[in-house]
């Protein structure tokens, strides 16, 4: 340490007396190498990663500033404190994780998160229970975003014309004098293209940009975002508003092609609220009822009590029929339109009448919700139905649009992507700056965006990856991940929250707001700009503002920032005009050709997560497809075309063609093909995504971006490539093969016989009882009435337990490593089946068949009832896997962690062993969390509290279908669930006595439509 270290320590302590954070020893001692590191723009060692960075060096540099000093945008800046969510520890303790609140935005709307950090290294993303969009849950995209942070393929530098340059050079190119030469002094030729955002900070910076360049053009675009909801609101209410639903108060719900349980900016909240009305604690409890009209089977459709199958363009007709039938059922304000459905199902009229009568019978206690890909006429019908049913102010309220440029409260409407295309085509665009997204890949095919973009005199792009757009831009700058950046965002209901960094930038980079600040000539760093902006908004003094700021960082929510409801008055006459102006691409007779649906991918969304291996390997909730997209079609349509699953089809729409393998899916609409977008990337550094799937953006038209008629389908010709492409699915069978892993009944049947599941939990007499002596006996209960199959638990388990990905070839060989899987079963006619899902994990059998066949005792029973794995004993005989009737044990065939990049290793949870090749793996009930809580209880001299231990799958579940706890604590929720008469165990006849018990699935069909199919 050198001489005089004690004197320097005492001098430092005197200078910093009273500070609430600690610094690393090297900084305290003023070591030369650390002083030099702090002088750089990114003092946390981001640059060293290019040449390799040892774990010791990484921890040294991060640990030197426990408050994560220096994390933001443009220039060097003072230390910034980040406050932990629960408490503010005086120092970071190695081996003890801290949690920090932040937010992640998608398509402009934020979801509040808590991020687990180990010595400055984020490893796990969870939901923030205080945030209205999260309520403590987290979706698959939120949880997998931590892997994106460490992606070694992320861009690392600023480039001009393919050559590396500097941020200063990029800033000079965006200086007023330089931009004026390209776009004019008033910015008439300047076009900014952003992803949709509701960020208050971005809004202020855009206002500053407009002050400097009054004629600037600001465009917003996201491939899956739709203007139809706001267009419908303008027509029906005379103003732009957006609905906020309260499913807790709804007895009857009608979803018009709306997958509200698994998609959308508020789906975590909606799924939780919907499940609250579906959770049965006794046979006489009430239960909501769900009607769904859709063509592509979704998680919401699989959860429906009644589902009407029809093509996307037919949903409008069904909605009109419901509206007319509601009027005849006595819904005041509803007016008939005379529309008739184009569906060929004879039961559609009966279905519509029953649904409309049910809605009318529950005035003020119902919801009608339309999906994003439906046209404005369907959204208008939903608004009018909610008004006619008296739902406004009860189950639905309206607020001003939260997105910038949406035109709410008299604000100006932003320009569309089409307007930018027109400007580029006409030659009036002198400078185009793209901040996020990838329009050269995702723009409609007829825009020819990539070619026009290349013709613009000045182009710049900011992104995480040097993708299709980044590779074509003259200037490219690497972007910060949201876990590396400062910012603010708003949720769907207007609630504001702060985005705070968890780690210093790994690869350098800058945020969207940094570039906007350059264009607007606004100085300061991101942290200072954010604090100053919220100081003005809060209107508080210095002391009051510090308390406000600390509370906003700690809690992850700015209290009182939600938008206030506005009063609206519906105009029923607006619907007829909207219906007459329906887009011709989604209209017309069936003879015009098949329909194609451009669907959101349950794994990679619109393609933005294509380089995320966790998501690529996540099985689709319905099809169980991984590492691919496919042309999904119904069994009848496949028979008519003479094709089977894995046959390659050629899809042609308006002269453009793409080859996609077929996948036959029960419940899919007839004469319709649906394909997930975002696949088929080629070139660029996104190595995980390259060559995966087919790019259907190439045939997507601008006037029908969600569903289009006139599709031509044929078997692909041999000249264009292989005629078969084997899809990597994790579950090929559809039925239960005579067994009953899922028990189901209607609500009426359950009330008549509450103990109908008792026959599946008979206990066989035995001479041997396991010796379980621990005070806590751990168990789990899973309510199948609540599970939507969203797969949040699968990704949560993967992140928590360091589960590797095996790739497409591994899945094809049935070598996937997920410790929890979501089994999906169909019952009834293949064209219109009932659907059910079931999470399946290690059942933690008290009489585990795996234990007595292990020759080395690697798997054994703990005193608290957990089937444990001792990895360093396992020699990989796989006897235990062969003897497991639930098939939930995974054999690690290869050393999947051997080739990981240095940054990819940083995502590993240090509390869980990273397993080596040749051992068995399986669910452990998150034993690391159990033992951590037990240690904390012993230190504090107390027993464990009810619900104190939460497994990763339980914590992430939006509907709280999974409950974990101790059977010996009568106050624990799991005890009440085990006492439920619906409880049963899978394969009870084997007498394995699982600690995982299921609650039978209960549906609530309308008696007027007859009983549901019997899944059992």
């Amino acid at each position: 340490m050198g001489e005089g270290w004690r004197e320097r320590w005492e001098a430092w302590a005197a200078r910093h007396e009273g500070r609430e954070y600690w610094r690393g020893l090297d900084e305290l001692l003023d070591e030369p190498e650390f002083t030099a590191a702090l002088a750089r723009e990114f003092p946390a060692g981001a640059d060293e990663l290019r040449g390799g960075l040892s774990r010791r060096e990484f921890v040294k540099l991060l640990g030197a500033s426990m408050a994560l000093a220096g994390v933001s945008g443009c220039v060097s800046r003072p230390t910034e404190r980040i406050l932990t969510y629960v408490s503010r520890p005086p120092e970071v303790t190695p081996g003890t994780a801290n949690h920090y609140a932040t937010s992640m935005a998608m398509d402009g709307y934020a979801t509040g998160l808590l991020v687990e950090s180990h010595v400055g290294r984020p490893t796990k993303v969870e939901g923030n229970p205080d945030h209205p969009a999260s309520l403590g849950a987290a979706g698959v995209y939120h949880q997998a975003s931590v892997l994106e942070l460490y992606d070694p393929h992320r861009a690392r530098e600023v480039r001009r014309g393919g050559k590396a340059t500097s941020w200063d050079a990029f800033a000079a190119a965006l200086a007023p004098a330089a931009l004026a030469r390209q776009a004019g002094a008033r910015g008439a030729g300047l076009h900014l293209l952003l992803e949709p955002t509701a960020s208050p900070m971005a809004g202020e910076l855009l206002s500053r940009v407009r002050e400097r360049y009054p004629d600037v053009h600001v465009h917003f675009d996201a491939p899956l975002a739709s203007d139809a909801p706001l267009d419908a609101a303008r027509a029906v209410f005379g103003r732009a508003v957006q609905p906020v639903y309260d499913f807790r108060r709804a007895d009857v719900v009608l979803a018009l092609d709306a997958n509200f349980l698994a998609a959308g900016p508020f789906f975590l909240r909606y799924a939780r609220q919907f499940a609250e009305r579906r959770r049965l604690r006794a046979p006489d409890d009430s239960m909501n009822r769900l009607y769904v009209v859709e063509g592509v089977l979704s998680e919401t459709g699989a959860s429906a009590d009644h589902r009407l199958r029809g093509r996307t363009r037919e949903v409008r007709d069904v909605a009109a029929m419901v509206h007319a039938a509601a009027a005849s059922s006595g819904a005041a304000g509803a007016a008939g339109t005379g529309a008739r459905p184009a569906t060929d199902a004879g039961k559609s009229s009966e279905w519509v009448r029953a649904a409309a009568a049910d809605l009318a019978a529950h005035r003020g206690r119902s919801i009608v919700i339309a999906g994003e890909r439906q046209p404005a006429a369907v959204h208008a019908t939903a608004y009018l139905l909610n008004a006619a049913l008296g739902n406004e102010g009860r189950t639905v309220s309206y607020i001003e649009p939260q997105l910038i440029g949406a035109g709410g409260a008299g604000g100006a409407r932003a320009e569309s992507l089409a307007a930018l295309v027109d400007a580029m085509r006409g030659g009036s665009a002198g400078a185009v700056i793209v901040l996020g997204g990838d329009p050269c890949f995702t723009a409609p095919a007829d825009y020819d965006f990539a070619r026009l973009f290349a013709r613009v005199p000045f182009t710049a792009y900011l992104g995480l990856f040097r993708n299709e757009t980044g590779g074509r831009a003259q200037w490219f700058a690497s972007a910060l991940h949201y876990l590396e950046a400062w910012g603010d965002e708003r949720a769907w209901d207007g609630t504001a929250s702060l985005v705070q960094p968890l780690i210093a930038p790994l690869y350098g980079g800058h945020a969207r707001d940094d570039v906007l600040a350059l264009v607007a000539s606004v100085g300061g760093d991101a942290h200072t700009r954010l604090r100053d902006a919220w100081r003005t908004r809060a209107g508080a003094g210095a002391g009051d503002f510090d308390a406000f700021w600390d509370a906003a960082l700690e809690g992850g929510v700015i209290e009182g920032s939600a938008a206030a409801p506005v009063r609206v008055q519906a105009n029923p006459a607006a619907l007829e005009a909207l219906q007459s102006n329906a887009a011709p691409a989604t209209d017309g007779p069936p003879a015009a050709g098949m329909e194609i649906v451009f669907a959101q991918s349950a794994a990679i969304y619109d393609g933005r997560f294509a380089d995320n291996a966790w998501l690529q390997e996540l099985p689709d909730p319905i099809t169980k497809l991984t590492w691919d997209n496919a042309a999904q079609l119904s069994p009848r349509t496949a028979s008519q075309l003479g094709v089977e699953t894995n046959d390659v089809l050629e899809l042609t729409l308006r002269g453009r063609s793409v080859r996609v393998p077929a996948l036959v899916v029960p419940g899919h609409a007839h004469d319709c093909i649906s394909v997930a977008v975002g696949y088929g990337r080629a070139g660029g550094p996104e190595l995980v995504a390259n060559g995966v799937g087919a790019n259907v953006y190439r045939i997507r038209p601008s006037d029908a971006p969600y569903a289009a008629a006139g599709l031509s389908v044929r078997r692909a010709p041999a000249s264009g490539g292989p005629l078969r492409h084997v899809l990597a699915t994790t579950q090929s069978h559809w039925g239960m093969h005579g067994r009953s892993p899922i028990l189901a009944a209607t609500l009426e049947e359950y009330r008549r016989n509450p103990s109908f599941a008792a026959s599946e939990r008979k206990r066989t007499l035995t001479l041997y009882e396991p010796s379980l002596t621990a005070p806590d006996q751990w168990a789990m209960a899973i309510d199948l009435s609540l599970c939507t199959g969203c797969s949040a638990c699968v990704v949560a388990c993967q992140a928590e337990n360091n589960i590797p990905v095996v790739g497409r070839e591994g899945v094809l060989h049935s070598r996937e490593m997920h410790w929890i899987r979501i089994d999906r079963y169909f019952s009834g006619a293949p064209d219109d089946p009932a659907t059910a899902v079931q999470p399946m994990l290690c059942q933690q059998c008290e009489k585990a068949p795996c234990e007595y066949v292990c020759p080395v005792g690697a798997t054994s029973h703990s005193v608290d009832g957990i089937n444990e794995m001792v990895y360093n004993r396992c020699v990989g005989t796989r006897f235990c896997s062969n003897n497991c009737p639930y098939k939930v044990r995974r054999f690690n065939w290869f050393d999947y962690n051997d080739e990981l990049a240095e940054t990819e290793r940083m995502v590993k949870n240090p509390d869980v062993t990273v397993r080596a090749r040749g051992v068995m793996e399986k669910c452990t009930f998150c034993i690391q969390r159990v033992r951590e809580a037990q240690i904390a209880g012993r230190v504090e001299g107390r027993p464990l509290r009810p619900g104190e231990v939460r497994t990763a799958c339980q914590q992430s579940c939006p509907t709280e279908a999974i409950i974990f706890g101790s059977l010996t604590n009568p106050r624990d929720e799991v005890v009440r669930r085990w006492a439920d008469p619906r409880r049963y165990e899978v394969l009870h006849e084997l007498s394995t006595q699982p600690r995982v018990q299921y609650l039978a699935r209960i549906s609530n069909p309308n008696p007027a439509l007859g009983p549901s199919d019997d899944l059992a």
Side-chain angles (χ1 to χ4, degrees):
M1 291 186 183
E3 298 181 359
W5 68 270
R6 186 180 299 278
E7 290 78 6
R8 278 183 282 169
W9 171 275
E10 292 174 351
W12 180 89
R15 290 197 307 271
H16 299 277
E17 183 178 3
R19 294 289 179 90
E20 294 182 348
Y21 60 92
W22 291 63
R23 295 172 183 259
L25 188 59
D26 289 336
E27 185 176 4
L28 307 184
L29 304 181
D30 295 327
E31 291 291 340
E33 67 175 290
F34 200 86
T35 303
L38 285 180
R40 296 197 298 270
E41 181 178 2
F42 300 110
D47 291 341
E48 283 79 344
L49 285 172
R50 299 177 188 173
L53 176 66
S54 71
R55 178 180 175 84
R56 183 179 183 277
E57 292 169 331
F58 177 80
V59 174
K60 175 181 176 182
L61 289 177
L62 276 184
S65 179
M66 296 306 180
L68 302 184
V71 185
S72 77
C74 303
V75 294
S76 299
R77 58 271 187 198
T79 298
E80 303 145 359
R81 290 183 295 146
I82 296 177
L83 306 178
T84 185
Y85 173 74
V86 178
S87 61
R88 191 166 59 235
E91 59 182 317
V92 173
T93 304
T96 301
N98 291 324
H99 290 79
Y100 299 87
T102 189
S103 295
M104 174 182 168
M106 287 181 61
D107 286 350
Y109 296 105
T111 299
L113 304 172
L114 298 183
V115 184
E116 181 178 311
S117 178
H118 291 268
V119 196
R121 179 168 56 90
T123 59
K124 180 75 169 58
V125 172
E126 297 166 353
N128 183 349
D130 293 336
H131 195 277
S134 164
L135 301 181
V140 296
Y141 306 125
H142 309 117
Q143 296 183 79
S145 65
V146 71
L147 184 65
E148 183 182 56
L149 167 69
Y150 297 111
D151 193 335
H153 307 138
R154 278 178 54 192
R156 307 179 181 215
E157 57 195 356
V158 178
R159 301 179 71 85
R160 180 185 183 186
K163 296 182 180 179
T165 182
S166 67
W167 175 257
D168 290 339
F170 183 73
L174 298 183
L179 277 182
R181 288 194 296 271
Q182 302 289 346
R186 292 178 57 85
L190 176 59
H191 294 258
L192 302 179
L193 176 58
L194 295 80
E195 295 179 288
T197 180
S199 164
M201 188 74 251
E204 291 189 13
L205 289 172
L206 284 171
S207 296
R208 299 289 295 273
V209 169
R210 288 189 174 97
E211 291 175 4
R212 177 165 286 278
Y213 302 103
D215 297 332
V216 66
H217 303 272
V218 180
H219 311 261
F220 292 97
D221 178 67
L224 298 178
S226 172
D227 294 329
L230 289 181
D231 290 343
R234 293 186 184 97
V236 172
F237 303 120
R239 61 188 297 188
V241 292
Q242 65 186 46
V244 178
Y245 301 101
D246 188 348
F247 287 90
R248 295 170 300 181
R249 301 182 178 184
D251 294 333
V252 179
V253 178
L254 171 62
L256 301 170
D257 199 20
N259 189 17
F260 68 92
L261 292 179
F266 236 28
F267 87 88
L268 294 172
R269 180 183 184 86
Y270 289 163
R272 176 68 56 82
Q273 292 180 342
F274 180 80
E276 287 181 17
R277 294 299 314 278
R278 220 157 175 85
R279 182 175 287 108
L280 300 175
R281 293 176 173 83
D284 57 351
D285 285 352
S286 63
M287 187 178 187
N288 59 16
R289 180 174 294 136
L290 174 61
Y291 298 88
V292 175
V293 186
E294 63 181 7
V296 182
L297 183 58
S298 67
E299 294 93 324
T300 303
S303 302
D305 298 296
H306 294 287
R307 176 178 179 268
L308 182 62
R309 171 181 40 80
R311 285 168 292 182
T312 303
R313 61 185 179 183
E314 296 168 346
V315 174
R316 184 189 66 182
D317 301 324
V318 174
M321 285 188 66
V322 173
H323 186 245
S328 63
S329 297
T337 63
R340 290 294 181 268
T343 57
D344 58 359
K347 67 176 184 179
S348 60
S349 296
E350 178 188 357
W351 194 97
V352 165
R353 284 194 299 270
D358 210 0
L359 289 168
H362 293 84
R363 286 181 48 80
R365 293 178 289 119
S366 59
I367 287 176
V368 182
I369 180 173
E372 281 282 304
R373 62 175 170 237
Q374 284 300 313
V378 176
H379 288 272
T381 304
Y383 297 155
L384 290 172
L385 274 168
N386 283 317
L389 293 168
N391 294 332
E392 291 180 13
R394 298 175 180 175
T395 61
V396 59
S397 59
Y398 295 93
I399 61 174
E400 295 287 350
Q402 299 303 299
L403 292 180
I404 299 171
R413 294 178 63 178
E415 299 181 60
S416 64
L417 182 65
L420 174 59
V421 170
D422 291 340
M424 293 192 298
R425 186 176 289 123
S428 62
V432 176
I433 302 173
V434 183
L435 304 179
D438 189 5
C440 286
F441 176 68
T442 63
D446 52 303
Y447 281 173
D448 200 10
F449 192 94
R451 183 181 64 84
L452 296 175
F453 186 68
R455 289 168 41 185
V456 178
F458 177 88
T459 56
Y461 177 74
L462 177 80
L464 285 174
F465 300 92
R466 195 162 177 262
N467 50 27
E468 283 83 343
T469 306
R472 289 174 170 84
Q474 298 167 10
W475 285 89
F476 171 83
S478 58
L480 290 175
H481 192 271
Y482 80 94
L483 292 175
E484 302 170 323
W486 285 102
D488 55 11
E489 299 288 351
R490 288 193 185 275
W492 177 262
D493 69 343
T495 299
S497 57
L498 298 181
V499 179
Q500 61 174 322
L502 270 291
I503 191 172
L506 293 174
Y507 305 113
H510 294 79
R512 170 203 61 201
D513 292 353
D514 296 329
V515 179
L516 292 177
L518 287 178
V519 176
S521 300
V522 175
D525 61 272
H527 178 257
T528 301
R529 288 196 304 268
L530 191 65
R531 277 184 61 95
D532 290 346
W534 279 102
R535 187 189 304 274
T536 302
R537 295 188 195 107
D544 293 339
F545 175 73
D546 287 341
F548 163 84
W549 182 258
D550 289 353
L553 287 179
E554 289 180 2
V557 175
I558 295 176
E559 297 294 336
S561 58
V566 298
R567 294 182 64 87
V568 294
Q569 183 65 43
N571 175 20
L575 181 58
E576 186 174 352
L578 284 173
Q579 288 178 332
S580 63
N581 294 330
T586 58
D587 205 358
M594 279 199 186
E595 177 184 82
I596 181 170
V597 175
F598 301 97
Q600 171 189 318
S601 168
I604 65 172
Y605 197 62
D606 56 10
R608 69 185 66 186
F609 299 111
D611 209 53
N612 194 307
W614 286 357
L615 294 177
Q616 287 279 12
E617 195 154 300
L618 181 67
D620 182 274
I622 303 300
T623 67
K624 301 304 167 186
L625 178 63
T626 69
W627 291 102
D628 239 320
N629 60 347
Q632 299 181 34
L633 67 169
S634 71
R636 192 182 82 178
T637 302
S639 177
Q640 291 172 345
L641 293 173
V643 300
E644 298 177 348
T645 294
N646 299 327
D647 287 343
V648 177
L649 305 180
E650 183 179 72
L651 310 181
T652 302
L653 184 67
R654 304 184 191 180
R656 300 181 180 92
S657 299
V658 64
R659 297 167 66 101
V660 190
L663 178 59
V664 180
V665 181
H668 199 281
H670 302 319
D671 301 321
C672 174
I673 301 284
S674 63
V675 191
V677 300
Y679 292 84
R681 292 183 178 272
E686 293 172 304
L687 301 182
V688 172
N690 286 344
V692 176
N695 179 14
V696 293
Y697 281 128
R698 288 168 36 195
I699 65 172
R700 189 186 193 211
S702 59
D703 62 344
Y706 311 105
L711 179 72
S712 174
V713 184
R714 65 167 182 166
R715 284 177 173 271
S719 58
L723 300 181
R724 284 183 62 82
H725 176 84
V726 180
L727 298 169
T729 58
T730 59
Q731 184 183 356
S732 57
H733 63 281
W734 295 346
M736 293 181 279
H737 299 284
R739 293 183 173 183
S740 53
I742 294 181
L743 293 183
T746 66
L747 182 60
E748 182 181 355
E749 292 168 344
Y750 174 49
R751 287 171 174 170
R752 287 201 308 262
N753 180 19
S755 301
F756 74 96
S759 62
E760 300 295 323
R761 61 171 187 265
K762 292 179 180 178
R763 183 159 181 168
T764 306
L765 295 177
T766 178
L767 297 176
Y768 165 74
E769 292 291 344
S771 176
L772 303 174
T773 59
D776 290 303
Q777 295 296 314
W778 302 106
M780 180 176 285
I782 302 176
D783 193 338
L784 298 182
S785 297
L786 308 182
C787 180
T788 64
C790 70
S791 301
C793 55
V794 179
V795 179
C797 180
Q798 186 156 27
E800 173 73 19
N801 294 296
N802 300 332
I803 297 173
V805 295
V806 301
R808 180 175 180 273
E809 291 300 319
V811 176
L812 284 172
H813 288 90
S814 300
R815 292 173 178 171
E816 62 271 12
M817 296 296 294
H818 292 134
W819 288 4
I820 182 172
R821 68 177 190 262
I822 309 296
D823 289 339
R824 173 267 299 125
Y825 300 102
F826 297 119
S827 175
D831 283 331
D832 195 17
T835 310
V837 293
Q838 179 180 49
M840 181 57 63
L841 61 160
C842 175
Q843 301 291 285
Q844 307 294 340
C845 307
E846 291 189 30
K847 295 184 177 180
C850 57
E851 293 179 6
Y852 53 78
V853 296
C854 180
V856 293
T859 179
S860 59
H861 220 65
S862 71
V863 294
D864 47 3
I866 297 177
N867 180 252
E868 296 181 330
M869 278 297 303
V870 183
Y871 295 120
N872 62 353
R873 276 190 205 159
C874 181
V875 294
T877 62
R878 287 173 283 160
F879 294 166
C880 57
S881 179
N882 292 336
N883 222 40
C884 174
Y886 306 98
K887 300 307 171 190
V888 289
R889 304 180 72 91
R890 301 285 180 256
F891 180 66
N892 197 334
W893 289 88
F894 301 105
D895 192 352
Y896 298 108
N897 297 291
D898 186 48
E899 300 298 327
L900 294 181
E902 188 67 29
T903 53
E904 290 177 298
R905 299 177 189 275
M906 295 176 185
V907 79
K908 302 297 184 182
N909 183 359
D911 297 332
V912 179
T913 303
V914 178
R915 280 80 58 190
R917 175 180 182 177
V919 302
M920 297 300 305
E921 302 184 13
K922 65 165 196 72
C923 166
T924 63
F925 270 172
C926 286
I927 187 65
Q928 68 278 4
R929 295 189 175 199
V930 174
R931 300 299 180 236
E932 181 182 14
Q934 289 173 334
I935 292 172
R938 286 199 297 270
V939 170
E940 298 173 15
R942 59 168 178 82
L944 291 180
R945 307 182 186 96
E948 183 175 356
V949 182
R950 292 170 61 84
T951 61
C953 57
Q954 174 191 15
Q955 192 166 40
S956 67
C957 182
T959 62
E960 296 184 315
I962 302 174
I963 295 297
F964 176 78
S966 174
L967 294 175
T968 57
N969 190 333
R971 295 184 299 159
D972 210 311
E973 178 64 20
V974 76
V975 176
R976 288 189 284 272
R977 298 292 179 94
W978 272 50
D980 194 302
R982 291 184 291 139
R983 177 178 65 88
Y984 74 97
E985 59 192 51
V986 174
L987 304 184
H988 73 101
E989 64 273 15
L990 300 180
S991 193
T992 58
Q993 299 177 18
R995 284 291 180 95
V996 177
Q997 301 279 292
Y998 295 89
L999 304 186
R1001 187 177 189 265
I1002 304 299
S1003 60
N1004 185 19
N1006 188 337
L1009 291 176
S1012 298
D1013 290 319
D1014 184 7
L1015 287 171

